[in-house]
Amino acid sequence: MKTELLTNQHLIQEFMGVDKTERLIPYHSCWNNLMSVVEKIESFQDGEDGDSMRGHLYNFRIEQYFVYILDGESMDVIIEMNGDSKIDATYKAVVEFIKYYNKTNKL
């Protein structure tokens, strides 16, 4: 496995709370695995539990070979990524989002 792919796989697993000692999950090649990451990102909400005005912080827009991750409030594009296929673009966008998230949230 290429070094960059391996590094990205570990990055995603850490984000998903998967123990580093477990085998690598093929997020780059399996929609079921990758969509669990997309769903986690889209589940982030602002406000407190029970707040009726609570909104989603991020939204995905997946098109052919392009993926956009949008700010849930302003709908500004946070991440814009293209790839060789829909899954490749989505995988790359997820990796870039996690790097952005880790940097802005000091995980």
Side-chain angles (χ1 to χ4, degrees):
M1 195 177 269
K2 294 180 183 178
T3 304
E4 182 180 7
L5 179 61
L6 190 59
T7 300
N8 292 340
Q9 294 292 95
H10 284 294
L11 180 74
I12 295 172
Q13 286 197 192
E14 182 179 333
F15 179 77
M16 294 299 290
V18 177
D19 190 332
K20 288 183 179 183
T21 61
E22 291 188 33
R23 69 172 179 78
L24 286 176
I25 298 170
Y27 294 105
H28 67 292
S29 62
C30 178
W31 271 112
N32 288 340
N33 296 331
L34 186 56
M35 289 310 292
S36 68
V37 184
V38 170
E39 289 171 353
K40 177 176 180 171
I41 293 168
E42 287 189 326
S43 74
F44 292 152
Q45 296 182 328
D46 61 0
E48 301 294 324
D49 286 340
D51 183 352
S52 63
M53 298 302 289
R54 198 168 181 192
H56 292 279
L57 294 176
Y58 308 104
N59 296 302
F60 273 73
R61 195 168 86 204
I62 302 172
E63 302 174 1
Q64 202 58 29
Y65 301 112
F66 294 92
V67 173
Y68 306 91
I69 303 177
L70 311 169
D71 177 286
E73 186 174 314
S74 69
M75 297 308 282
D76 290 338
V77 175
I78 298 171
I79 304 290
E80 180 178 345
M81 193 61 57
N82 66 335
D84 296 331
S85 64
K86 192 176 285 192
I87 193 169
D88 182 53
T90 305
Y91 175 77
K92 289 176 179 178
V94 160
V95 168
E96 288 308 308
F97 174 83
I98 293 170
K99 290 175 183 177
Y100 160 84
Y101 185 83
N102 287 348
K103 185 176 181 179
T104 59
N105 290 284
K106 311 283 191 269
L107 287 180

